Amino acid sequence: MPIYRWRLAPDGLATRRQLRAQGLRPGGQPVVAQVERPRRRRGPLVAYLYRVDLALPVRPMTPGRTAALQRAMAARRTCPVCRRDAGYCIPRSLGMCVPCAYPDQQTAA
């Protein structure tokens, strides 16, 4: 598999994000090449490249998928302790909304 340096990949190849920005998806095609971005203290960042001419259009969002996404986001906002909608995604580090996690602290008005 060819490896290219950062920003030196040939035309006609794109990463998943670049394909998505164009309204495309890899569509099951294999990885053609990779691009590496060097870092100082760790290994290089690697991004896989796909052929743009073989990419397929992104599937449209169906009403069922939209409803499922809304339910999933509502579940992420619902506190498991007080069962209220927090208005934000519950932090995984806390596992509950901030008022339930820190009941001793009162917010200053």
Side-chain angles (χ1 to χ4, degrees):
M1 178 181 342
I3 299 173
Y4 299 102
R5 299 272 301 175
W6 190 250
R7 298 183 186 262
L8 295 178
D11 292 335
L13 299 180
T15 64
R16 283 182 176 268
R17 284 189 179 198
Q18 292 169 338
L19 288 175
R20 186 64 181 208
Q22 297 174 23
L24 300 171
R25 61 185 169 95
Q29 65 174 300
V31 175
V32 178
Q34 68 184 27
V35 63
E36 289 186 350
R37 179 179 180 193
R39 296 191 290 183
R40 292 179 188 225
R41 292 187 170 89
R42 295 183 288 192
L45 290 174
V46 176
Y48 298 114
L49 300 173
Y50 301 91
R51 289 180 47 183
V52 176
D53 59 339
L54 297 179
L56 301 174
V58 175
R59 293 183 188 125
M61 197 68 156
T62 63
R65 289 175 69 190
T66 302
L69 182 61
Q70 288 174 349
R71 286 192 306 271
M73 292 306 294
R76 288 183 65 191
R77 288 190 314 266
T78 304
C79 176
V81 176
C82 65
R83 306 301 300 165
R84 281 190 255 162
D85 186 345
Y88 53 87
C89 288
I90 303 295
R92 290 178 55 192
S93 59
L94 297 177
M96 59 188 79
C97 65
V98 175
C100 290
Y102 304 107
D104 302 345
Q105 299 177 0
Q106 298 293 326
T107 56

